[in-house]
Amino acid sequence: MRQLLINIKQLYQVEFPTDVTKAIVGKSMATIPYISDAWLVVQDGLIHSFGVMDALPGLVADEVIDATGRIVLPAFVDSHTHLVFAAPRDGEFVDRIKGLSYEEIARRGGGILNSARMLNAMSEEELYDQSLARLHRVMEQGTGAIEIKSGYGLCLEGELKMLRVIRRLRENAPIPVKASFLAAHAYPVEYKQDKDGYIKLIIDEMLPRVAGEGLADYMDVFCEEGFFGVDETARLLDAGWKYGLKPKIHANQLHHSGGVQVGVQHNALSVDHLECVAEAEIESLKGSNTMPVLLPGAAFFLGIQYQPARRIIDAGLPVCLASDYNPGSCPSGNMQLLLSIACTQLKMTPEEAINAVTVNAAVALELQDTIGSIRVGKKASLIITKPISSLAYIPYDYGNNNVERLLI
Ligand code: NIG
Ligand code: FE
């Protein structure tokens, strides 16, 4: 099967001899290589060749797509989501508007525990159907690869149920799906007075099952005051490593909790959230291979401070952006809206933001060899936009869907 795209207004994130399989850092984030008036051939799902229209070779194709006025770019990679959940939490949303904080709601047994109650009461089949519908919706909005976490089971059966749903999504979805094991998301009610008991349950009973069934790629912990402290996080990450699960953790969302440092010390693939980041955290990220992943959709929805993206980029580090799609702190997996928030609130330029959700996000999921940029031999995981004026129009036209077609 051969598809030929012609008259592409601009083809973005093309790899010239430069190596876009590594993260794009610091000042380099400000530019994205592109060619104007381009053509591109997809052969059996892989990028076969591309170039400028003036030099279009004579080609026979099964499908010719005229992309006049349209931009083509790599599909978005969403490296941090909680897309598998049972039900929305719009009641808590109203409680927060009326003055309760996210942490107060959690302390009263709402929040993650509320989601856990609803998830444990739902059949695996129904959970799968709902999650698949969500996955299709984010794909319509341009997501071409995704990470999904467990963490609303908080017991062996519930965590396994979530991870099996993620495995089924991976088997049936046309895009790459990665799974993270996040039993350390909150302490279940039965363990409120026995936190050590819950950590032992995760390490001694859940991890061997999860790893034994090959259900997870990564180990996640909500490292935060009132949730899992630095020492507990360290124990959990060490245990995950014994099963080959690389850390990808929630860090520094609500406090300067030491999460970034403990992640870096444990060779985390990424540390995610980073609302509370200052010099100490930035210093620890320098010289590491840990990707800073910013989740401004959650800061937007909770009305808390935004991540200091500029300081991180100006320190010469890479930045990745992800949605954090979940029913509590960010009930949207719309990556175009995320780009708008990153540009307007974090003061990232459109080029920086798009680098953050393509090449750098692929690195944050270890998918940089197969997706994230336009290179011969990589998977054709592409967005064809609607007719638009420029790349900047995507974040500018906030709240609207400028993806015409996801080519995968
Ligand atoms: O990334 N912060 C921890 N976990 C999620 C929220 C989970 C929830 O509220 O359901 C987050 O924001
Ligand atoms: Fe999260």
Side-chain angles (χ1 to χ4, degrees):
M1 163 83 170
R2 172 177 281 186
Q3 291 160 303
L4 169 63
L5 284 72
I6 53 168
N7 299 323
I8 303 167
K9 177 175 167 140
Q10 283 153 345
L11 177 65
Y12 267 96
Q13 206 63 286
V14 288
E15 286 197 41
F16 297 120
T18 51
D19 183 3
V20 194
T21 55
K22 293 198 185 74
I24 303 174
V25 303
K27 286 193 176 65
S28 317
M29 287 192 72
T31 49
I32 307 183
Y34 69 93
I35 43 185
S36 297
D37 203 17
W39 60 269
L40 180 141
V41 168
V42 174
Q43 176 83 44
D44 300 326
L46 298 180
I47 295 169
H48 173 273
S49 47
F50 58 88
V52 289
M53 283 302 287
D54 281 348
L56 176 67
L59 286 166
V60 185
D62 301 292
E63 184 187 9
V64 177
I65 301 168
D66 185 353
T68 299
R70 291 154 175 85
I71 288 175
V72 173
L73 72 159
F76 306 132
V77 177
D78 193 351
S79 72
H80 180 135
T81 84
H82 309 249
L83 171 141
V84 173
F85 58 86
R89 303 211 307 261
D90 38 330
E92 293 177 4
F93 167 62
V94 177
D95 289 341
R96 282 197 297 103
I97 294 169
K98 291 182 178 165
L100 279 184
S101 74
Y102 181 75
E103 287 162 289
E104 280 162 347
I105 291 170
R107 274 199 296 276
R108 291 173 180 206
I112 295 165
L113 294 183
N114 186 4
S115 279
R117 271 190 300 276
M118 296 189 281
L119 183 130
N120 282 306
M122 182 173 275
S123 73
E124 190 168 317
E125 204 53 38
E126 193 178 348
L127 195 58
Y128 173 75
D129 289 344
Q130 284 206 23
S131 305
L132 185 63
R134 278 183 212 119
L135 187 63
H136 281 142
R137 196 170 53 208
V138 297
M139 285 170 57
E140 280 162 21
Q141 293 161 341
T143 298
I146 196 165
E147 180 261 17
I148 310 174
K149 300 171 189 303
S150 71
Y152 293 129
L154 309 182
C155 61
L156 179 63
E157 274 317 310
E159 289 293 309
L160 290 175
K161 176 161 72 179
M162 285 189 82
L163 290 165
R164 286 186 192 123
V165 165
I166 299 171
R167 179 170 62 192
R168 265 178 83 185
L169 293 173
R170 180 202 316 241
E171 285 164 359
N172 296 317
I175 64 170
V177 176
K178 293 252 183 161
S180 298
F181 174 52
L182 177 59
H185 199 191
Y187 291 97
V189 186
E190 323 77 272
Y191 286 93
K192 268 267 166 309
Q193 306 307 326
D194 179 20
K195 297 188 166 173
D196 199 52
Y198 186 56
I199 291 173
K200 285 202 179 102
L201 178 74
I202 296 174
I203 293 175
D204 298 338
E205 291 181 41
M206 295 193 197
L207 253 176
R209 281 290 296 276
V210 166
E213 291 187 34
L215 286 168
D217 301 293
Y218 304 116
M219 180 77 183
D220 198 346
V221 175
F222 186 18
C223 181
E224 186 57 66
E225 286 177 25
F227 292 83
F228 296 82
V230 166
D231 294 343
E232 291 148 346
T233 302
R235 272 173 73 192
L236 288 156
L237 298 187
D238 284 334
W241 264 122
K242 291 202 177 106
Y243 294 94
L245 300 188
K246 283 187 193 164
K248 256 180 107 61
I249 68 168
H250 284 73
N252 296 54
Q253 179 184 16
L254 307 170
H255 300 95
H256 290 266
S257 58
V260 169
Q261 289 90 332
V262 75
V264 168
Q265 281 154 15
H266 285 78
N267 270 316
L269 185 57
S270 69
V271 285
D272 302 21
H273 261 299
L274 310 192
E275 283 83 345
C276 300
V277 155
E279 273 323 298
E281 287 84 5
I282 289 178
E283 276 312 308
S284 89
L285 284 163
K286 282 186 190 167
S288 79
N289 285 320
T290 300
M291 176 69 76
V293 178
L294 312 186
L295 312 175
F300 166 77
F301 195 69
L302 294 182
I304 62 175
Q305 63 182 316
Y306 284 102
Q307 296 81 1
R310 286 257 57 89
R311 288 179 63 189
I312 300 174
I313 294 171
D314 293 346
L317 289 165
V319 155
C320 168
L321 291 161
S323 76
D324 199 20
Y325 191 7
N326 78 77
S329 67
C330 187
S332 166
N334 185 336
M335 296 294 277
Q336 295 172 73
L337 188 55
L338 173 71
L339 293 173
S340 300
I341 297 172
C343 293
T344 59
Q345 307 304 307
L346 274 56
K347 308 294 178 205
M348 292 174 73
T349 65
E351 287 82 4
E352 287 171 335
I354 287 175
N355 276 321
V357 298
T358 54
V359 172
N360 285 0
V363 171
L365 283 186
E366 301 181 290
L367 292 171
Q368 66 271 27
D369 292 336
T370 50
I371 56 166
S373 64
I374 312 287
R375 186 178 71 194
V376 171
K378 272 195 171 183
K379 277 188 197 162
S381 171
L382 307 170
I383 287 170
I384 304 172
T385 67
K386 294 177 180 167
I388 57 176
S389 48
S390 70
L391 192 70
Y393 189 82
I394 300 172
Y396 163 85
D397 188 35
Y398 80 98
N400 294 316
N401 188 2
N402 281 296
V403 172
E404 186 166 85
R405 181 165 168 187
L406 187 68
L407 204 69
I408 37 177

